[in-house]
Amino acid sequence: MRDGNRRAPRTAAGGEAIQKYLAEAVGTFVLVLGGVGAAVLAGDRIGFLGVAFAFGLSLLAMVYTVGPISGCHVNPAVTVGLLMAGKFDKRHVAGYVIAQCVGAMVAAGVVLLIAKGAPGGYSAGAEGLGSNGYGTASPEGYGGGAAFLTEVALTFLLVLTVLGATDSRAPVGFAGLAIGLVLTLIHLVGIPITNTSVNPARSLGPALFAGGDALRQLWLFIVAPLLGAAFASAVYRLVARPAAQITAARAEQALDEERRERVSGRRDAEHPV
């Protein structure tokens, strides 16, 4: 009986971890499908502005969809930033990163399959599949140094926003708005330079199908975002110094008290005395 009792909590914890990993995979899938899909399938119609909003809106939707389950990192850089800031359990880092990469790869594959259905087909190697790059692979020809600095700075902005929006003193339930909007801003700045990564998983998915420069230059879009996340964590710890830590998943939910107040207010309105 003792062994059985000891095994039950472990099984429950394992099931909860799997749910988190699946949520991260789904969230990253939607982010890449929405953002990269917009760039590949509709980029010539909606332009940089439209693609920027596609990424931001995809993340905003997922924050409120899978955020309560996993925190909606959908980005290895965000996971590392939260870990370094003391807001994430290191036991789940590998699971989150693997799930994010799998979600991104599946989404990139789906976008490619759809694109191939266009008249004349589609070549990921020739057209890039929305992959990130610098030099000749940059949309506006920016060099490697500018690309590296851009990815560090923009990831710093993203991760710092995530850390601040999920701080214990931040307005509860509004983290998704701040995070979705800042990702839109980041893409408005970064698309002409690198096609905007700030997310190693987002870069990995298309690069695996595009090959060539996208795969050779992938290291920059892994190293620079992780470095930006580390800087953001350091600045957050230095400046914010929160009195209490709460997880990203908890911060992205409305407080139970607020839910009860809303329900109570609705009932009062429906049945006035």
Side-chain angles (χ1 to χ4, degrees):
M1 291 295 290
R2 288 179 183 174
D3 290 341
N5 291 337
R6 202 178 298 127
R7 202 176 296 121
R10 291 179 182 174
T11 303
E16 184 178 349
I18 291 172
Q19 286 181 326
K20 292 178 184 293
Y21 303 154
L22 286 173
E24 283 297 299
V26 170
T28 312
F29 172 86
V30 172
L31 175 69
V32 175
L33 182 67
V36 174
V40 172
L41 304 173
D44 57 342
R45 292 176 176 81
I46 62 177
F48 288 173
L49 179 63
V51 174
F53 271 101
F55 274 101
L57 292 173
S58 296
L59 182 58
L60 175 61
M62 287 301 98
V63 165
Y64 293 112
T65 302
V66 305
I69 303 169
S70 68
C72 191
H73 300 187
V74 299
N75 182 341
V78 171
T79 298
V80 169
L82 289 168
L83 173 69
M84 295 181 69
K87 299 181 71 171
F88 188 65
D89 190 337
K90 64 182 180 182
R91 294 176 300 171
H92 296 305
V93 171
Y96 267 54
V97 171
I98 292 170
Q100 291 156 2
C101 291
V102 169
M105 289 186 288
V106 173
V110 170
V111 172
L112 178 58
L113 287 175
I114 295 171
K116 283 181 176 292
Y122 182 90
S123 170
E127 300 185 59
L129 196 64
S131 56
N132 304 114
Y134 55 88
T136 57
S138 162
E140 300 293 336
Y142 283 81
F148 192 90
L149 181 58
T150 298
E151 289 294 326
V152 170
L154 294 182
T155 309
F156 170 87
L157 176 57
L158 173 63
V159 175
L160 188 64
T161 301
V162 171
L163 292 171
T166 58
D167 188 280
S168 59
R169 296 165 296 185
V172 177
F174 292 96
L177 291 174
I179 297 167
L181 288 173
V182 82
L183 188 65
T184 302
L185 170 62
I186 284 167
H187 277 79
L188 288 174
V189 175
I191 288 176
I193 304 167
T194 63
N195 253 347
T196 310
S197 170
V198 301
N199 184 337
R202 172 262 184 270
S203 296
L204 174 65
L208 289 177
F209 293 97
D213 284 342
L215 209 51
R216 285 190 291 271
Q217 297 178 358
L218 181 62
W219 67 271
L220 186 147
F221 303 101
I222 295 173
V223 175
L226 294 178
L227 190 58
F231 286 149
S233 176
V235 169
Y236 169 78
R237 282 183 170 274
L238 181 65
V239 174
R241 297 188 181 278
Q245 296 284 10
I246 59 173
T247 64
R250 182 72 184 94
E252 287 162 0
Q253 302 176 60
L255 290 174
D256 293 336
E257 291 81 0
E258 291 177 342
R259 290 198 191 96
R260 285 195 291 269
E261 286 175 7
R262 284 199 293 269
V263 171
S264 176
R266 192 179 302 119
R267 287 173 178 168
D268 291 344
E270 291 172 352
H271 305 287
V273 177

